[in-house]
């Protein structure tokens, strides 16, 4: 089992509001490059998505539950089919998106107990909790050529140190997909 974090990110490390749904003044930065910049399996998840589980915070899950069930393309079919775990302090109606269930209890313990690969997208509070518990095995970052100077960074000041190695880098439209894993040793 491995934990893979996927994020749209800016050159200055901001991951908040890439689609503009949060209504921030700087939001929508990833979508300014057109739908082809963000559509499909840009993170090269392949079998990880087919055989793993998607872990989402409530806000990201609610956004995705509005978007993905209404789409009709091969990647949407995969997103709709993957099992989904939802992290929430409340009790959202997870029946709105097929394959979703509420994760109850301690997040790091639940992730450690998971036997499938875990893919976390968006959900910054979830990502940070997994980072603090040293549970992230890989980061797949789709970096867009924009500097915002504001917003929530993936790695804020005071984050725990992490030694990483670059596994790959490739241009994907206007962005660059980089994969970083735990450093050997």
């Amino acid at each position: 089992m491995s934990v893979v974090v996927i994020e749209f990110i800016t050159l200055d490390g901001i991951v908040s509001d890439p689609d503009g749904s949060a209504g921030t003044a700087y939001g929508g930065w990833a979508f300014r490059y057109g739908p082809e910049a963000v559509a499909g399996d840009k993170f090269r998840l392949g079998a990880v998505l087919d055989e793993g589980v998607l872990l989402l915070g409530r806000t990201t899950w609610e956004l995705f539950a509005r978007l993905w069930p209404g789409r009709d393309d091969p990647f949407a079919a995969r997103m709709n089919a993957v099992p989904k775990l939802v992290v929430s302090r409340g009790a959202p109606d997870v029946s709105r998106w097929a394959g979703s269930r509420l994760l109850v209890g301690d997040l790091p313990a639940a992730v450690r107990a998971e036997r499938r690969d875990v893919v976390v997208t968006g959900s910054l509070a979830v990502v940070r909790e997994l980072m603090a518990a040293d549970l992230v095995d890989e980061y797949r970052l789709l970096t867009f050529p924009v500097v915002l100077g504001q917003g929530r960074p993936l790695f804020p000041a005071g984050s725990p140190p992490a030694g990483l190695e670059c596994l790959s880098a490739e241009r994907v439209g206007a962005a660059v997909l980089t994969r970083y894993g735990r450093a050997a040793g």
Side-chain angles (χ1 to χ4, degrees):
M1 185 279 296
S2 67
V3 175
V4 178
V5 168
I6 63 173
E7 297 285 349
F8 294 122
I9 192 166
T10 66
L11 283 176
D12 56 344
I14 303 302
V15 294
S16 52
D17 207 11
D19 63 348
S21 65
T24 63
Y26 58 83
W29 50 267
F31 288 68
R32 290 185 190 131
Y33 297 91
E36 64 280 349
V38 295
D41 189 6
K42 294 297 188 212
F43 292 97
R44 309 292 191 258
L45 294 170
V48 175
L49 192 59
D50 293 336
E51 299 167 10
V53 61
L54 196 58
L55 177 63
L56 304 162
R58 180 195 47 80
T59 301
T60 302
W61 180 87
E62 287 177 346
L63 174 65
F64 284 13
R66 285 191 306 270
L67 296 174
W68 289 108
R71 293 185 178 178
D72 184 25
D73 62 76
F75 186 69
R78 293 170 80 195
M79 287 294 286
N80 289 321
V82 68
K84 295 161 266 300
L85 298 175
V86 182
V87 179
S88 178
R89 287 184 209 102
D93 177 11
V94 296
S95 67
R96 292 185 305 152
W97 192 15
S100 299
R101 73 177 172 85
L102 194 59
L103 189 146
V104 178
D106 181 67
L107 173 60
V111 169
R112 283 185 195 98
E114 184 59 52
R115 298 293 167 229
R116 300 166 289 190
D117 288 333
V118 177
V119 176
V120 187
T121 182
S123 309
L124 192 54
V126 171
V127 170
R128 288 185 177 164
E129 188 170 348
L130 296 176
M131 288 167 50
D134 194 29
L135 290 173
V136 178
D137 298 297
E138 183 180 336
Y139 294 92
R140 294 188 189 186
L141 307 176
L142 197 57
T143 306
F144 286 82
V146 62
V147 174
L148 296 176
Q150 62 181 325
R152 295 172 58 200
L154 178 58
F155 303 104
S159 294
L164 302 171
E165 66 176 299
C166 183
L167 303 174
S168 67
E170 71 175 287
R171 184 174 180 157
V172 179
V176 175
L177 174 64
T178 50
R179 293 179 54 218
Y180 296 95
R182 292 179 183 270

